[in-house]
Amino acid sequence: MNNTESIKINKPGKKAKTIKPQKPVYNEFVCSPELQKNKPAAVVIGYILRAAVIYIGVLGMILFICDAFKIRLNGFALAGAIALIVTLFCVMSINKALFFGGLGLSAAGAALAAYLTGNPVQFFMNSVATLWNHMLDRLDYAGYRIMTSLYLPVDSTVIFTEAETYAFMFSAVIMITVIIAAVFTASLIRRVRLMPLLLVSAVVLTVIFTYNISSSNWGFALILSAFCGIIPLKMYDSLYNRKKPANDAPRPPKKSLKTSAMGGYVGSVSMVLCFLVLLIPTLTVDKQWEKISFINDKMELGRAIVSSVIIGDTPNIDMGFVGNMDTMNARSTFADERTFNGREMLRVYASYNMPLYLRSWVASSYNDDENTWNAVSTSKASQYTSWFYPGFTPEVINYYFYNLVNPRLTNVNSFTSYSNHIEDGFITETIDVENLNSSGNLLFTAAAYNPEIGLMNFMSTDRNDLYSGEWKFYYEGIVTTGWFNFNKKYRMTAFVPSYRYEDYAARLENNLHYHSLMKYYILQTADTDLTPAKQRSVIDSATEMLEYYDVSYTEPTALERYFDLSPAERETFVYNHFTLPDYYDKFVYDEYTAVPDSEALRNVTSEITNNMGPVTSTHEVVMSVIDYLKENCVYTLSPREPRNVRMSALDVFLSDTKEGYCVQFATSAAMILRQLGIPTRYVEGYLINRLTYDKTPERLAKYQTVVRDYNAHAWIEVYMGAAGWKLYETTPEYYSDLYDPYTTSSSSSGYTPMPEPERPEPIMDDGPLDTKKPKFILNAETISVILI
């Protein structure tokens, strides 16, 4: 018998009584909303609220992706587009008629878009490629190497405008939005299905959390809020929106929109409450998320293996980098408290006992929004050799400068001793490096070394016995190796800097002037075939000019050595000593002069220049900046908290706490010098200032030390034109070892001072030489060498 039929009960002498059947119970909860009578408006509102949970989840996911990969789009336009997409999917979910109507509307929109773009297939491909390449650049910019073959080609026949590139990017993000919105809608609008949501969320969140590339909390706050609404919504559906009735009760009538819509009230209220709880931290915290060391260390190993497998562990292609000190990751400039455990990193042997700077990492740019120094992108690094030549390293500029000034300065006569060129600012010595625990892809090299020899095998005395491990010159002084290269023991000839000679600045300016004059005479004669008598006349004219300008030099001059070369050798000489440095000069000014918009930086720079007084060299300007920081800022590994946590790291150090360690001193010095127009770059590596004598008879390099994690250090390198990059210590703690002056009565640099002659009149085939003297001009904005 059907339990919905009426039952008649007859009693003697009484009229038959009809008992109405009770309403069937399909759930153990009497208050089941599906058994309640709800007004249509309440159902519509509930459905909209359920759709709102979907919208917040999709919006949060897209914002999280855009923030992590630095996709700069109009926020209001993006939020509106996401709202339209989610609304369309939710309406299509109501019934079949609306579903097919939505498909038709979508098709019409796609047709309109195809008409507007002209070539929809090419537009689609360009959009996907633009977004994909941008995301790879972002990972690469954060320090995680990406193989160049992973980049997708964009139509190379057209140079796209900024507006077109923006359109490609926006379209690609909309495509991702459609996919995520479809998954969220299908998984939530009628009944919560967690598995698809978890899979999509896991893919997005895992990538971003693994590489720690998110700096804003808004996207994640919305995702967390949405899931705080989804969980109660799932519980609601489990209780009131079941596929099967509880306790073997009869199956309920066919479910209507009301069943799922009423859960929108529960989900939306929970979501709003969660968002209110997260609102304050979301507004106040904008730093990059902190890494949990015991988790991050394990992840670093995993990234290393995955990167190596993907890129093929070889130095002949772009290699993957992972880790901390010895990797290409971006370097934060916030003065966080630093701690070390004394872990042994390297063992170093040297033929002379003086402070050594082992460079591993050179910043390519500074990001003021994230307060980080950043390494070069993979795409730019891959172009580097095409800009110059394969195997080019900036040490070449420094090498050929001193080779022109005096070949004895670059000669290597022994790999077991050292050469004293202290008047010219360096000691030539041999350094051996043995990797103990440094597990990344970066090799540690002297801040200046002989690029003509490069890296040799460990403890070798044969300059042709080159380092047998995997390695290459990667970019701007960065030397890399494969992650699985276990032979990280090598030797190099280093030009170890020391500016303690009291007349070093004058000597450097002397060499720069000598280089300038030799360059003029050589380039004037490069395309002419002079007779021996004419060559002698030009040499005499150049000598007179050197003497008139008080330029010290060694004989024979560079001009004489040039005339002794064959035509092919002369061409190589001009390229190495003049053409390549000129080309590199332009690259340096494009790459290393950008500064953030900082009032504190401008104020400090102005204060320094106002108190500087007359200067005659770039070296003196650099020392004025370093001395200012030394006298006005405090070195400490435990700097105090800033008064305003929203200030940039640079502003905090220059105008608030004025406390920090090597990172803050080096960053500030670099920015001040850039503000003055002097190209400067930020460098990290290890500083070794304590070596001990090794009595082992077979030891070729007599001094040795173990480099530990607390020897990690940061400094700057300043571009000196034709002389290349010069290392400068910016941290007060290590000031004296590099700068405190002493006098010497003898030198092995061998230059010959010349008496002041009467003013000569130089003679050239094409007329008299312009005899303007070089001077240094200083103002608040720029310092440059000009001819006046």
Side-chain angles (χ1 to χ4, degrees), residues 109-162:
L112 178 61
Y115 172 78
L116 294 175
T117 57
N119 188 342
V121 175
Q122 188 63 54
F123 186 87
F124 172 81
M125 295 175 62
N126 288 340
S127 298
V128 173
T130 299
L131 178 62
W132 176 256
N133 295 343
H134 179 88
M135 294 170 76
L136 290 181
D137 281 340
R138 168 56 182 154
L139 290 176
D140 185 58
Y141 193 64
Y144 303 99
R145 299 299 88 191
I146 302 297
M147 190 172 176
T148 52
S149 61
L150 294 177
Y151 285 82
L152 296 177
V154 183
D155 189 356
S156 59
T157 62
V158 180
I159 299 177
F160 297 112
T161 65
E162 185 176 346

Side-chain angles (χ1 to χ4, degrees), residues 144-220:
Y144 303 99
R145 299 299 88 191
I146 302 297
M147 190 172 176
T148 52
S149 61
L150 294 177
Y151 285 82
L152 296 177
V154 183
D155 189 356
S156 59
T157 62
V158 180
I159 299 177
F160 297 112
T161 65
E162 185 176 346
E164 289 173 326
T165 302
Y166 180 91
F168 293 148
M169 192 75 73
F170 193 91
S171 300
V173 171
I174 293 303
M175 296 176 196
I176 295 178
T177 302
V178 169
I179 296 173
I180 295 177
V183 173
F184 268 65
T185 304
S187 302
L188 294 176
I189 195 63
R190 285 288 189 172
R191 193 172 188 276
V192 175
R193 297 172 177 84
L194 286 178
M195 188 55 67
L197 294 177
L198 294 177
L199 289 176
V200 171
S201 302
V203 170
V204 174
L205 298 181
T206 299
V207 171
I208 296 174
F209 284 144
T210 298
Y211 293 103
N212 194 31
I213 53 178
S214 180
S215 58
S216 173
N217 296 314
W218 283 106
F220 186 72

Side-chain angles (χ1 to χ4, degrees), residues 211-524:
Y211 293 103
N212 194 31
I213 53 178
S214 180
S215 58
S216 173
N217 296 314
W218 283 106
F220 186 72
L222 292 177
I223 294 173
L224 192 58
S225 299
F227 272 89
C228 285
I230 292 171
I231 299 304
L233 201 56
K234 173 64 176 176
M235 296 172 64
Y236 173 90
D237 288 343
S238 297
L239 295 174
Y240 305 125
N241 193 20
R242 293 181 173 182
K243 291 182 178 180
K244 293 182 179 180
N247 300 329
D248 297 324
R251 185 175 297 277
K254 185 177 181 180
K255 290 191 283 290
S256 65
L257 187 64
K258 178 190 74 172
T259 306
S260 58
M262 301 312 295
Y265 290 95
V266 177
S268 60
V269 170
S270 300
M271 180 180 68
V272 171
L273 291 176
C274 178
F275 181 75
L276 292 176
V277 173
L278 296 173
L279 183 60
I280 294 178
T282 301
L283 289 171
T284 56
V285 179
D286 59 359
K287 292 175 62 176
Q288 191 176 33
W289 293 3
E290 296 293 336
K291 293 180 179 179
I292 303 174
S293 58
F294 77 91
I295 297 177
N296 185 66
D297 292 344
K298 304 300 185 298
M299 294 176 67
E300 297 289 8
L301 179 61
R303 294 176 204 155
I305 296 174
V306 171
S307 298
S308 298
V309 170
I310 291 176
I311 51 79
D313 189 32
T314 169
N316 297 320
I317 58 175
D318 299 317
M319 295 179 290
F321 295 88
V322 293
N324 296 307
M325 174 66 208
D326 51 353
T327 70
M328 295 289 281
N329 297 355
R331 275 36 172 183
S332 172
T333 57
F334 278 110
D336 300 321
E337 186 170 350
R338 305 298 292 272
T339 57
F340 304 96
N341 57 23
R343 183 186 184 191
E344 294 182 351
M345 306 304 293
L346 310 170
R347 185 179 295 278
V348 176
Y349 303 89
S351 57
Y352 191 71
N353 187 10
M354 66 184 300
L356 302 176
Y357 289 80
L358 296 183
R359 176 179 60 210
S360 65
W361 189 85
V362 179
S364 178
S365 61
Y366 183 76
N367 189 319
D368 192 45
D369 292 333
E370 296 186 359
N371 298 282
T372 57
W373 286 104
N374 299 283
V376 65
S377 66
T378 298
S379 57
K380 192 170 185 178
S382 66
Q383 295 174 344
Y384 188 68
T385 55
S386 65
W387 293 337
F388 301 103
Y389 58 80
F392 171 79
T393 176
E395 281 68 32
V396 168
I397 307 300
N398 180 277
Y399 174 85
Y400 281 113
F401 172 79
Y402 284 106
N403 180 266
L404 182 139
V405 169
N406 181 0
R408 291 172 57 190
L409 297 176
T410 56
N411 284 346
V412 178
N413 299 319
S414 172
F415 292 108
T416 60
S417 60
Y418 68 94
S419 300
N420 182 3
H421 305 299
I422 201 68
E423 291 179 355
D424 290 286
F426 61 92
I427 299 289
T428 302
E429 62 175 299
T430 302
I431 297 176
D432 291 283
V433 178
E434 179 181 5
N435 190 313
L436 300 178
N437 284 304
S438 179
S439 59
N441 295 86
L442 304 187
L443 295 183
F444 295 84
T445 60
Y449 56 90
N450 192 321
E452 288 293 286
I453 300 176
L455 303 185
M456 300 168 53
N457 270 328
F458 190 70
M459 294 292 180
S460 176
T461 57
D462 181 1
R463 66 185 303 154
N464 296 317
D465 183 18
L466 299 181
Y467 173 47
S468 56
E470 297 179 332
W471 70 283
K472 73 171 183 176
F473 296 119
Y474 183 72
Y475 181 88
E476 282 299 273
I478 298 175
V479 181
T480 59
T481 181
W483 190 79
F484 290 115
N485 176 22
F486 296 103
N487 177 29
K488 295 182 181 178
K489 298 168 61 177
Y490 45 91
R491 159 169 282 200
M492 73 201 81
T493 301
F495 304 132
V496 181
S498 176
Y499 309 140
R500 301 182 64 185
Y501 179 63
E502 60 181 356
D503 293 326
Y504 165 71
R507 180 62 179 161
L508 177 60
E509 293 307 303
N510 177 90
N511 292 340
L512 286 166
H513 295 164
Y514 175 81
H515 183 279
S516 179
L517 284 169
M518 290 297 99
K519 177 181 178 180
Y520 177 84
Y521 277 97
I522 290 173
L523 292 183
Q524 287 291 321

Side-chain angles (χ1 to χ4, degrees), residues 706-722:
V706 173
V707 180
R708 301 181 183 273
D709 59 354
Y710 52 70
N711 295 122
H713 194 51
W715 59 89
I716 62 170
E717 292 178 2
V718 179
Y719 185 66
M720 295 290 184

